[in-house]
Amino acid sequence: MTARSAAAALALAAMLALSSCAAEAPPAAETPAPTVTVTVSPSPEPEVALGDFGFTYFGAATIDAADVAALEAQLGAAVDVPAECPWYPMIASHGTYAETRAFFDSRGVTPGVRFFYTLEMGDDGVMPRTVEGVGVGSTEAEVLAAYPSAVIDNSFEDVSLGPIKRIIVDDPASDSKYVFGLFEGDEYIGILQWGPDAGGQWAHLCLPL
């Protein structure tokens, strides 16, 4: 064997030895992928649009208020309670001659507010509105556009106030209703009651019923 052949053989042997070591070496450990933590925030509850009043409430006051004390607790303030008829407190004023009152059963038999009553007596104050944008001061057409299922009653006559055209809107979710009142010859709603007993009597409410 020539010197060149011998050198080549030694080089080949060295390469085979290196290959054998490489094959026998354990595989390199894989680097673990980083853990990603995803925090899912709960979706906020959708906001429910509310008017100044609805079928079963006026502001924070509800028809579930058992008495005047409960009503005041809901409103967070004292209300104007007439000495001669404590069942008929004024809970809000809308200018000088416009107001909203709550009416309880004067006999104390049926608990809760029987109806709320907003009436305007010649003042142009800012009047409360439903979420549909109607109330005292609205026209008949505006009320009917807001509540297409409303029923019109032209036969009602109050013992004191005379003929009143009533526009009645039933609440599909409770036994309450809106009763919009138009005096004879008027274009705008002048009185409005809402609640379970709404629309039956509009005057002399300080007399026990």
Side-chain angles (χ1 to χ4, degrees), residues 140 144 150-157 163-169 177-183 189 191 193 197-202:
E140 177 180 350
L144 295 178
V151 174
I152 297 177
D153 174 21
N154 286 304
S155 64
F156 185 85
E157 184 161 348
I164 297 174
K165 175 187 282 190
R166 302 188 307 170
I167 305 174
I168 302 168
V169 184
K177 57 184 173 290
Y178 295 139
V179 184
F180 298 86
L182 273 165
F183 293 113
I189 302 297
I191 49 179
Q193 293 182 0
D197 294 342
Q201 184 170 343
W202 300 86

PDB file of all heavy atoms in Angstrom, residues 140 144 150-157 163-169 177-183 189 191 193 197-202:
ATOM      1  N   GLU A 140    -102.717  63.361  18.716  1.00  0.00           N
ATOM      2  CA  GLU A 140    -103.315  62.042  18.535  1.00  0.00           C
ATOM      3  C   GLU A 140    -102.560  61.258  17.471  1.00  0.00           C
ATOM      4  O   GLU A 140    -102.291  60.061  17.636  1.00  0.00           O
ATOM      5  CB  GLU A 140    -104.785  62.183  18.139  1.00  0.00           C
ATOM      6  CG  GLU A 140    -105.481  60.867  17.858  1.00  0.00           C
ATOM      7  CD  GLU A 140    -106.938  61.041  17.464  1.00  0.00           C
ATOM      8  OE1 GLU A 140    -107.473  62.166  17.585  1.00  0.00           O
ATOM      9  OE2 GLU A 140    -107.556  60.048  17.033  1.00  0.00           O
ATOM     10  N   LEU A 144    -100.776  57.554  17.877  1.00  0.00           N
ATOM     11  CA  LEU A 144    -101.156  56.412  17.038  1.00  0.00           C
ATOM     12  C   LEU A 144     -99.984  55.914  16.201  1.00  0.00           C
ATOM     13  O   LEU A 144     -99.877  54.714  15.921  1.00  0.00           O
ATOM     14  CB  LEU A 144    -102.324  56.801  16.135  1.00  0.00           C
ATOM     15  CG  LEU A 144    -103.643  57.120  16.861  1.00  0.00           C
ATOM     16  CD1 LEU A 144    -104.717  57.548  15.866  1.00  0.00           C
ATOM     17  CD2 LEU A 144    -104.109  55.930  17.679  1.00  0.00           C
ATOM     18  N   ALA A 150    -103.223  50.818  19.204  1.00  0.00           N
ATOM     19  CA  ALA A 150    -104.043  51.546  20.170  1.00  0.00           C
ATOM     20  C   ALA A 150    -105.517  51.507  19.785  1.00  0.00           C
ATOM     21  O   ALA A 150    -105.873  51.451  18.605  1.00  0.00           O
ATOM     22  CB  ALA A 150    -103.560  52.992  20.267  1.00  0.00           C
ATOM     23  N   VAL A 151    -106.356  51.546  20.805  1.00  0.00           N
ATOM     24  CA  VAL A 151    -107.811  51.548  20.605  1.00  0.00           C
ATOM     25  C   VAL A 151    -108.340  52.928  20.998  1.00  0.00           C
ATOM     26  O   VAL A 151    -108.006  53.449  22.072  1.00  0.00           O
ATOM     27  CB  VAL A 151    -108.489  50.461  21.467  1.00  0.00           C
ATOM     28  CG1 VAL A 151    -110.008  50.559  21.364  1.00  0.00           C
ATOM     29  CG2 VAL A 151    -108.004  49.079  21.054  1.00  0.00           C
ATOM     30  N   ILE A 152    -109.170  53.516  20.142  1.00  0.00           N
ATOM     31  CA  ILE A 152    -109.758  54.830  20.406  1.00  0.00           C
ATOM     32  C   ILE A 152    -111.165  54.663  20.944  1.00  0.00           C
ATOM     33  O   ILE A 152    -111.983  53.932  20.376  1.00  0.00           O
ATOM     34  CB  ILE A 152    -109.767  55.695  19.133  1.00  0.00           C
ATOM     35  CG1 ILE A 152    -108.339  55.963  18.658  1.00  0.00           C
ATOM     36  CG2 ILE A 152    -110.492  57.011  19.382  1.00  0.00           C
ATOM     37  CD1 ILE A 152    -108.255  56.746  17.365  1.00  0.00           C
ATOM     38  N   ASP A 153    -111.438  55.333  22.057  1.00  0.00           N
ATOM     39  CA  ASP A 153    -112.760  55.287  22.679  1.00  0.00           C
ATOM     40  C   ASP A 153    -113.308  56.711  22.728  1.00  0.00           C
ATOM     41  O   ASP A 153    -112.793  57.565  23.448  1.00  0.00           O
ATOM     42  CB  ASP A 153    -112.643  54.712  24.096  1.00  0.00           C
ATOM     43  CG  ASP A 153    -113.959  54.780  24.861  1.00  0.00           C
ATOM     44  OD1 ASP A 153    -115.021  54.880  24.208  1.00  0.00           O
ATOM     45  OD2 ASP A 153    -113.924  54.750  26.107  1.00  0.00           O
ATOM     46  N   ASN A 154    -114.363  56.947  21.951  1.00  0.00           N
ATOM     47  CA  ASN A 154    -115.002  58.269  21.903  1.00  0.00           C
ATOM     48  C   ASN A 154    -116.232  58.367  22.795  1.00  0.00           C
ATOM     49  O   ASN A 154    -116.935  59.378  22.775  1.00  0.00           O
ATOM     50  CB  ASN A 154    -115.406  58.604  20.470  1.00  0.00           C
ATOM     51  CG  ASN A 154    -114.209  58.956  19.609  1.00  0.00           C
ATOM     52  OD1 ASN A 154    -113.439  59.858  19.940  1.00  0.00           O
ATOM     53  ND2 ASN A 154    -114.030  58.238  18.496  1.00  0.00           N
ATOM     54  N   SER A 155    -116.489  57.331  23.581  1.00  0.00           N
ATOM     55  CA  SER A 155    -117.749  57.291  24.336  1.00  0.00           C
ATOM     56  C   SER A 155    -117.592  57.655  25.808  1.00  0.00           C
ATOM     57  O   SER A 155    -118.592  57.711  26.530  1.00  0.00           O
ATOM     58  CB  SER A 155    -118.353  55.881  24.239  1.00  0.00           C
ATOM     59  OG  SER A 155    -117.500  54.927  24.867  1.00  0.00           O
ATOM     60  N   PHE A 156    -116.370  57.928  26.256  1.00  0.00           N
ATOM     61  CA  PHE A 156    -116.156  58.145  27.686  1.00  0.00           C
ATOM     62  C   PHE A 156    -116.497  59.575  28.081  1.00  0.00           C
ATOM     63  O   PHE A 156    -116.147  60.534  27.389  1.00  0.00           O
ATOM     64  CB  PHE A 156    -114.701  57.851  28.059  1.00  0.00           C
ATOM     65  CG  PHE A 156    -114.427  57.937  29.531  1.00  0.00           C
ATOM     66  CD1 PHE A 156    -114.666  56.862  30.358  1.00  0.00           C
ATOM     67  CD2 PHE A 156    -113.938  59.111  30.099  1.00  0.00           C
ATOM     68  CE1 PHE A 156    -114.415  56.933  31.725  1.00  0.00           C
ATOM     69  CE2 PHE A 156    -113.685  59.194  31.455  1.00  0.00           C
ATOM     70  CZ  PHE A 156    -113.917  58.098  32.271  1.00  0.00           C
ATOM     71  N   GLU A 157    -117.171  59.723  29.214  1.00  0.00           N
ATOM     72  CA  GLU A 157    -117.463  61.045  29.757  1.00  0.00           C
ATOM     73  C   GLU A 157    -117.175  61.034  31.243  1.00  0.00           C
ATOM     74  O   GLU A 157    -117.760  60.261  32.003  1.00  0.00           O
ATOM     75  CB  GLU A 157    -118.917  61.454  29.497  1.00  0.00           C
ATOM     76  CG  GLU A 157    -119.199  62.872  29.971  1.00  0.00           C
ATOM     77  CD  GLU A 157    -120.452  63.469  29.344  1.00  0.00           C
ATOM     78  OE1 GLU A 157    -120.980  62.875  28.385  1.00  0.00           O
ATOM     79  OE2 GLU A 157    -120.896  64.530  29.814  1.00  0.00           O
ATOM     80  N   PRO A 163    -116.672  65.096  28.293  1.00  0.00           N
ATOM     81  CA  PRO A 163    -116.230  64.121  27.291  1.00  0.00           C
ATOM     82  C   PRO A 163    -114.709  64.107  27.156  1.00  0.00           C
ATOM     83  O   PRO A 163    -114.063  65.155  27.089  1.00  0.00           O
ATOM     84  CB  PRO A 163    -116.885  64.615  25.993  1.00  0.00           C
ATOM     85  CG  PRO A 163    -117.985  65.521  26.434  1.00  0.00           C
ATOM     86  CD  PRO A 163    -117.532  66.149  27.705  1.00  0.00           C
ATOM     87  N   ILE A 164    -114.158  62.903  27.129  1.00  0.00           N
ATOM     88  CA  ILE A 164    -112.719  62.713  26.934  1.00  0.00           C
ATOM     89  C   ILE A 164    -112.528  61.605  25.907  1.00  0.00           C
ATOM     90  O   ILE A 164    -113.049  60.497  26.075  1.00  0.00           O
ATOM     91  CB  ILE A 164    -112.011  62.322  28.248  1.00  0.00           C
ATOM     92  CG1 ILE A 164    -112.138  63.435  29.294  1.00  0.00           C
ATOM     93  CG2 ILE A 164    -110.536  62.009  27.994  1.00  0.00           C
ATOM     94  CD1 ILE A 164    -111.582  63.052  30.662  1.00  0.00           C
ATOM     95  N   LYS A 165    -111.811  61.931  24.831  1.00  0.00           N
ATOM     96  CA  LYS A 165    -111.440  60.878  23.885  1.00  0.00           C
ATOM     97  C   LYS A 165    -110.261  60.128  24.499  1.00  0.00           C
ATOM     98  O   LYS A 165    -109.222  60.710  24.811  1.00  0.00           O
ATOM     99  CB  LYS A 165    -111.024  61.458  22.530  1.00  0.00           C
ATOM    100  CG  LYS A 165    -110.525  60.376  21.564  1.00  0.00           C
ATOM    101  CD  LYS A 165    -109.946  60.965  20.288  1.00  0.00           C
ATOM    102  CE  LYS A 165    -111.046  61.401  19.344  1.00  0.00           C
ATOM    103  NZ  LYS A 165    -110.504  61.754  17.995  1.00  0.00           N
ATOM    104  N   ARG A 166    -110.434  58.827  24.677  1.00  0.00           N
ATOM    105  CA  ARG A 166    -109.380  58.023  25.271  1.00  0.00           C
ATOM    106  C   ARG A 166    -108.665  57.202  24.191  1.00  0.00           C
ATOM    107  O   ARG A 166    -109.322  56.573  23.354  1.00  0.00           O
ATOM    108  CB  ARG A 166    -109.948  57.090  26.342  1.00  0.00           C
ATOM    109  CG  ARG A 166    -110.682  57.815  27.471  1.00  0.00           C
ATOM    110  CD  ARG A 166    -111.046  56.862  28.598  1.00  0.00           C
ATOM    111  NE  ARG A 166    -111.793  55.696  28.117  1.00  0.00           N
ATOM    112  CZ  ARG A 166    -112.060  54.621  28.859  1.00  0.00           C
ATOM    113  NH1 ARG A 166    -111.645  54.566  30.115  1.00  0.00           N
ATOM    114  NH2 ARG A 166    -112.755  53.611  28.359  1.00  0.00           N
ATOM    115  N   ILE A 167    -107.351  57.230  24.220  1.00  0.00           N
ATOM    116  CA  ILE A 167    -106.531  56.389  23.350  1.00  0.00           C
ATOM    117  C   ILE A 167    -105.866  55.372  24.258  1.00  0.00           C
ATOM    118  O   ILE A 167    -105.014  55.722  25.082  1.00  0.00           O
ATOM    119  CB  ILE A 167    -105.484  57.215  22.585  1.00  0.00           C
ATOM    120  CG1 ILE A 167    -106.158  58.340  21.808  1.00  0.00           C
ATOM    121  CG2 ILE A 167    -104.686  56.312  21.643  1.00  0.00           C
ATOM    122  CD1 ILE A 167    -105.188  59.291  21.139  1.00  0.00           C
ATOM    123  N   ILE A 168    -106.255  54.123  24.135  1.00  0.00           N
ATOM    124  CA  ILE A 168    -105.872  53.084  25.087  1.00  0.00           C
ATOM    125  C   ILE A 168    -104.835  52.160  24.451  1.00  0.00           C
ATOM    126  O   ILE A 168    -105.043  51.633  23.350  1.00  0.00           O
ATOM    127  CB  ILE A 168    -107.105  52.281  25.524  1.00  0.00           C
ATOM    128  CG1 ILE A 168    -108.150  53.232  26.141  1.00  0.00           C
ATOM    129  CG2 ILE A 168    -106.719  51.194  26.529  1.00  0.00           C
ATOM    130  CD1 ILE A 168    -109.515  52.590  26.354  1.00  0.00           C
ATOM    131  N   VAL A 169    -103.727  51.961  25.166  1.00  0.00           N
ATOM    132  CA  VAL A 169    -102.650  51.092  24.692  1.00  0.00           C
ATOM    133  C   VAL A 169    -102.388  50.052  25.775  1.00  0.00           C
ATOM    134  O   VAL A 169    -101.923  50.392  26.873  1.00  0.00           O
ATOM    135  CB  VAL A 169    -101.361  51.885  24.414  1.00  0.00           C
ATOM    136  CG1 VAL A 169    -100.291  50.956  23.833  1.00  0.00           C
ATOM    137  CG2 VAL A 169    -101.636  53.055  23.481  1.00  0.00           C
ATOM    138  N   LYS A 177    -101.747  49.605  31.363  1.00  0.00           N
ATOM    139  CA  LYS A 177    -102.049  50.195  30.065  1.00  0.00           C
ATOM    140  C   LYS A 177    -101.806  51.698  30.126  1.00  0.00           C
ATOM    141  O   LYS A 177    -101.797  52.299  31.202  1.00  0.00           O
ATOM    142  CB  LYS A 177    -103.496  49.918  29.663  1.00  0.00           C
ATOM    143  CG  LYS A 177    -104.539  50.398  30.665  1.00  0.00           C
ATOM    144  CD  LYS A 177    -105.937  50.000  30.217  1.00  0.00           C
ATOM    145  CE  LYS A 177    -106.994  50.312  31.290  1.00  0.00           C
ATOM    146  NZ  LYS A 177    -106.876  49.436  32.465  1.00  0.00           N
ATOM    147  N   TYR A 178    -101.566  52.288  28.965  1.00  0.00           N
ATOM    148  CA  TYR A 178    -101.564  53.744  28.831  1.00  0.00           C
ATOM    149  C   TYR A 178    -102.975  54.164  28.439  1.00  0.00           C
ATOM    150  O   TYR A 178    -103.613  53.522  27.593  1.00  0.00           O
ATOM    151  CB  TYR A 178    -100.639  54.212  27.708  1.00  0.00           C
ATOM    152  CG  TYR A 178     -99.168  53.948  27.893  1.00  0.00           C
ATOM    153  CD1 TYR A 178     -98.396  53.520  26.821  1.00  0.00           C
ATOM    154  CD2 TYR A 178     -98.529  54.163  29.106  1.00  0.00           C
ATOM    155  CE1 TYR A 178     -97.038  53.303  26.957  1.00  0.00           C
ATOM    156  CE2 TYR A 178     -97.172  53.955  29.246  1.00  0.00           C
ATOM    157  CZ  TYR A 178     -96.425  53.514  28.162  1.00  0.00           C
ATOM    158  OH  TYR A 178     -95.081  53.299  28.295  1.00  0.00           O
ATOM    159  N   VAL A 179    -103.455  55.258  29.015  1.00  0.00           N
ATOM    160  CA  VAL A 179    -104.703  55.867  28.554  1.00  0.00           C
ATOM    161  C   VAL A 179    -104.417  57.356  28.343  1.00  0.00           C
ATOM    162  O   VAL A 179    -104.285  58.111  29.306  1.00  0.00           O
ATOM    163  CB  VAL A 179    -105.860  55.662  29.547  1.00  0.00           C
ATOM    164  CG1 VAL A 179    -107.146  56.248  28.948  1.00  0.00           C
ATOM    165  CG2 VAL A 179    -106.048  54.181  29.865  1.00  0.00           C
ATOM    166  N   PHE A 180    -104.279  57.733  27.073  1.00  0.00           N
ATOM    167  CA  PHE A 180    -104.063  59.129  26.702  1.00  0.00           C
ATOM    168  C   PHE A 180    -105.422  59.807  26.581  1.00  0.00           C
ATOM    169  O   PHE A 180    -106.344  59.252  25.961  1.00  0.00           O
ATOM    170  CB  PHE A 180    -103.335  59.220  25.364  1.00  0.00           C
ATOM    171  CG  PHE A 180    -101.951  58.603  25.359  1.00  0.00           C
ATOM    172  CD1 PHE A 180    -101.777  57.248  25.118  1.00  0.00           C
ATOM    173  CD2 PHE A 180    -100.822  59.382  25.575  1.00  0.00           C
ATOM    174  CE1 PHE A 180    -100.513  56.679  25.102  1.00  0.00           C
ATOM    175  CE2 PHE A 180     -99.554  58.833  25.559  1.00  0.00           C
ATOM    176  CZ  PHE A 180     -99.397  57.483  25.326  1.00  0.00           C
ATOM    177  N   GLY A 181    -105.556  60.993  27.159  1.00  0.00           N
ATOM    178  CA  GLY A 181    -106.837  61.681  27.139  1.00  0.00           C
ATOM    179  C   GLY A 181    -106.800  62.983  26.352  1.00  0.00           C
ATOM    180  O   GLY A 181    -105.914  63.812  26.553  1.00  0.00           O
ATOM    181  N   LEU A 182    -107.777  63.124  25.458  1.00  0.00           N
ATOM    182  CA  LEU A 182    -107.949  64.354  24.675  1.00  0.00           C
ATOM    183  C   LEU A 182    -109.275  64.990  25.053  1.00  0.00           C
ATOM    184  O   LEU A 182    -110.338  64.365  24.956  1.00  0.00           O
ATOM    185  CB  LEU A 182    -107.965  64.032  23.170  1.00  0.00           C
ATOM    186  CG  LEU A 182    -106.639  63.955  22.421  1.00  0.00           C
ATOM    187  CD1 LEU A 182    -106.853  63.286  21.071  1.00  0.00           C
ATOM    188  CD2 LEU A 182    -106.044  65.341  22.225  1.00  0.00           C
ATOM    189  N   PHE A 183    -109.224  66.238  25.514  1.00  0.00           N
ATOM    190  CA  PHE A 183    -110.470  66.945  25.785  1.00  0.00           C
ATOM    191  C   PHE A 183    -111.138  67.329  24.473  1.00  0.00           C
ATOM    192  O   PHE A 183    -110.478  67.492  23.443  1.00  0.00           O
ATOM    193  CB  PHE A 183    -110.205  68.197  26.621  1.00  0.00           C
ATOM    194  CG  PHE A 183    -109.730  67.892  28.010  1.00  0.00           C
ATOM    195  CD1 PHE A 183    -108.445  68.225  28.403  1.00  0.00           C
ATOM    196  CD2 PHE A 183    -110.570  67.269  28.925  1.00  0.00           C
ATOM    197  CE1 PHE A 183    -108.001  67.952  29.687  1.00  0.00           C
ATOM    198  CE2 PHE A 183    -110.139  66.989  30.211  1.00  0.00           C
ATOM    199  CZ  PHE A 183    -108.848  67.328  30.595  1.00  0.00           C
ATOM    200  N   ILE A 189    -102.723  65.908  23.555  1.00  0.00           N
ATOM    201  CA  ILE A 189    -103.026  65.134  24.755  1.00  0.00           C
ATOM    202  C   ILE A 189    -102.857  66.037  25.973  1.00  0.00           C
ATOM    203  O   ILE A 189    -101.809  66.648  26.173  1.00  0.00           O
ATOM    204  CB  ILE A 189    -102.075  63.920  24.874  1.00  0.00           C
ATOM    205  CG1 ILE A 189    -102.182  63.015  23.638  1.00  0.00           C
ATOM    206  CG2 ILE A 189    -102.348  63.150  26.159  1.00  0.00           C
ATOM    207  CD1 ILE A 189    -103.527  62.389  23.424  1.00  0.00           C
ATOM    208  N   ILE A 191    -104.085  64.950  29.290  1.00  0.00           N
ATOM    209  CA  ILE A 191    -104.006  64.131  30.493  1.00  0.00           C
ATOM    210  C   ILE A 191    -103.610  62.713  30.093  1.00  0.00           C
ATOM    211  O   ILE A 191    -103.891  62.257  28.976  1.00  0.00           O
ATOM    212  CB  ILE A 191    -105.349  64.107  31.257  1.00  0.00           C
ATOM    213  CG1 ILE A 191    -106.507  63.800  30.298  1.00  0.00           C
ATOM    214  CG2 ILE A 191    -105.576  65.413  31.993  1.00  0.00           C
ATOM    215  CD1 ILE A 191    -107.868  63.740  30.987  1.00  0.00           C
ATOM    216  N   GLN A 193    -102.947  58.704  31.991  1.00  0.00           N
ATOM    217  CA  GLN A 193    -102.809  57.780  33.112  1.00  0.00           C
ATOM    218  C   GLN A 193    -102.226  56.467  32.603  1.00  0.00           C
ATOM    219  O   GLN A 193    -102.440  56.087  31.448  1.00  0.00           O
ATOM    220  CB  GLN A 193    -104.170  57.497  33.763  1.00  0.00           C
ATOM    221  CG  GLN A 193    -104.791  58.697  34.461  1.00  0.00           C
ATOM    222  CD  GLN A 193    -106.116  58.355  35.131  1.00  0.00           C
ATOM    223  OE1 GLN A 193    -106.587  57.215  35.091  1.00  0.00           O
ATOM    224  NE2 GLN A 193    -106.731  59.346  35.761  1.00  0.00           N
ATOM    225  N   ASP A 197    -105.290  50.333  36.739  1.00  0.00           N
ATOM    226  CA  ASP A 197    -106.622  50.943  36.812  1.00  0.00           C
ATOM    227  C   ASP A 197    -106.703  52.256  36.032  1.00  0.00           C
ATOM    228  O   ASP A 197    -107.585  53.092  36.308  1.00  0.00           O
ATOM    229  CB  ASP A 197    -107.002  51.202  38.274  1.00  0.00           C
ATOM    230  CG  ASP A 197    -107.179  49.919  39.073  1.00  0.00           C
ATOM    231  OD1 ASP A 197    -107.340  48.849  38.454  1.00  0.00           O
ATOM    232  OD2 ASP A 197    -107.131  49.982  40.317  1.00  0.00           O
ATOM    233  N   ALA A 198    -105.830  52.444  35.082  1.00  0.00           N
ATOM    234  CA  ALA A 198    -105.765  53.721  34.360  1.00  0.00           C
ATOM    235  C   ALA A 198    -107.028  53.987  33.551  1.00  0.00           C
ATOM    236  O   ALA A 198    -107.635  53.075  32.992  1.00  0.00           O
ATOM    237  CB  ALA A 198    -104.553  53.733  33.431  1.00  0.00           C
ATOM    238  N   GLY A 199    -107.409  55.265  33.493  1.00  0.00           N
ATOM    239  CA  GLY A 199    -108.445  55.713  32.575  1.00  0.00           C
ATOM    240  C   GLY A 199    -109.865  55.632  33.062  1.00  0.00           C
ATOM    241  O   GLY A 199    -110.787  56.010  32.341  1.00  0.00           O
ATOM    242  N   GLY A 200    -110.087  55.171  34.295  1.00  0.00           N
ATOM    243  CA  GLY A 200    -111.457  55.018  34.762  1.00  0.00           C
ATOM    244  C   GLY A 200    -112.035  56.283  35.376  1.00  0.00           C
ATOM    245  O   GLY A 200    -113.230  56.534  35.257  1.00  0.00           O
ATOM    246  N   GLN A 201    -111.192  57.069  36.023  1.00  0.00           N
ATOM    247  CA  GLN A 201    -111.657  58.313  36.626  1.00  0.00           C
ATOM    248  C   GLN A 201    -110.525  59.329  36.561  1.00  0.00           C
ATOM    249  O   GLN A 201    -109.371  59.025  36.848  1.00  0.00           O
ATOM    250  CB  GLN A 201    -112.086  58.108  38.079  1.00  0.00           C
ATOM    251  CG  GLN A 201    -112.674  59.370  38.703  1.00  0.00           C
ATOM    252  CD  GLN A 201    -113.334  59.119  40.053  1.00  0.00           C
ATOM    253  OE1 GLN A 201    -113.637  57.975  40.390  1.00  0.00           O
ATOM    254  NE2 GLN A 201    -113.553  60.169  40.815  1.00  0.00           N
ATOM    255  N   TRP A 202    -110.873  60.562  36.189  1.00  0.00           N
ATOM    256  CA  TRP A 202    -109.854  61.578  35.955  1.00  0.00           C
ATOM    257  C   TRP A 202    -109.945  62.746  36.931  1.00  0.00           C
ATOM    258  O   TRP A 202    -109.037  63.576  36.986  1.00  0.00           O
ATOM    259  CB  TRP A 202    -109.979  62.103  34.528  1.00  0.00           C
ATOM    260  CG  TRP A 202    -109.811  61.059  33.467  1.00  0.00           C
ATOM    261  CD1 TRP A 202    -110.780  60.247  32.969  1.00  0.00           C
ATOM    262  CD2 TRP A 202    -108.609  60.701  32.770  1.00  0.00           C
ATOM    263  NE1 TRP A 202    -110.263  59.409  32.000  1.00  0.00           N
ATOM    264  CE2 TRP A 202    -108.932  59.672  31.861  1.00  0.00           C
ATOM    265  CE3 TRP A 202    -107.288  61.162  32.822  1.00  0.00           C
ATOM    266  CZ2 TRP A 202    -107.996  59.093  31.008  1.00  0.00           C
ATOM    267  CZ3 TRP A 202    -106.352  60.588  31.978  1.00  0.00           C
ATOM    268  CH2 TRP A 202    -106.701  59.564  31.085  1.00  0.00           C
TER     269      TRP A 202
END
